[in-house]
Amino acid sequence: AGEAAAEGAHIGAFTAGAPGLDYPCYGDDGGEDAAAMGYDENGMALGAEGYYYDGQEVAFDFPDEETFLTPQLWSATAEPAPGLEAESVEAGAPPGLDGTVAGLRVEGRRMLWDVCTGLADPRVSLMAVPKGECLESPPFWIAGTELRLAFYPVGTALSGDTDCSAELLCEDKAKLKFELFMNGRSGGRKVLLGKRFSCDFRKPVSLTSPDADAECAVAVGVQVHENLLYAGFF
């Protein structure tokens, strides 16, 4: 009976290794093992590697939540992104982070994609895209997640005739609180549980203007407010 009780207490201590938990926990019994471990310079208990969810390991590379939620840009010449081994990146994809990627720019905690960048005749090119089809931005990195933005000039299959659509795409399934923008206009705060989420917006005037000389200006943006997989981490 004594062995069964000890085993039960040990299992309780290991529940902190389950996905989604935020920090090491050694049970409620304040056992001698926990007291004897001590702590390293990061506040992690020595010898506690098996007690925390290693899917959150990437967060240790960021000093605070503000930095964690600030967008970073991919670059073929920069160092690999935090928590991402270079060999794990798909062939042909840029493996690192840098401050300059054509069409993408960071403003505070917001990533903006200038959709018209690189298009010879942006208005004609965009309006020629069939309904339900999109253009995608280069990849970028926010809150431990590889993301892209997509723009549907004529909207998704369910969009109205006067609408276009913006979409957030995740490389892997994610749980994010975020906000999409179209030329500075917010689509409201949303929650992504999966790999993609789209919002409809009224088509920008620059796409529908009869003035052929008018500048085509389409900027799709995203701001991530929280990665729910890291809730309570910082």
Side-chain angles (χ1 to χ4, degrees), residues 117-150:
T117 299
L119 298 180
D121 192 338
R123 183 183 291 104
V124 173
S125 298
L126 291 175
M127 297 312 293
V129 175
K131 190 178 184 68
E133 296 188 16
C134 67
L135 288 76
E136 292 186 9
S137 77
F140 51 90
W141 184 264
I142 308 179
T145 307
E146 181 183 342
L147 304 170
R148 293 177 185 262
L149 289 167

Side-chain angles (χ1 to χ4, degrees), residues 168-188:
L168 182 64
L169 304 172
C170 300
E171 182 67 18
D172 298 304
K173 288 183 178 180
K175 296 181 178 181
L176 303 176
K177 289 184 179 180
F178 72 100
E179 204 170 347
L180 284 171
F181 299 87
M182 177 70 64
N183 286 356
R185 181 179 180 183
S186 171

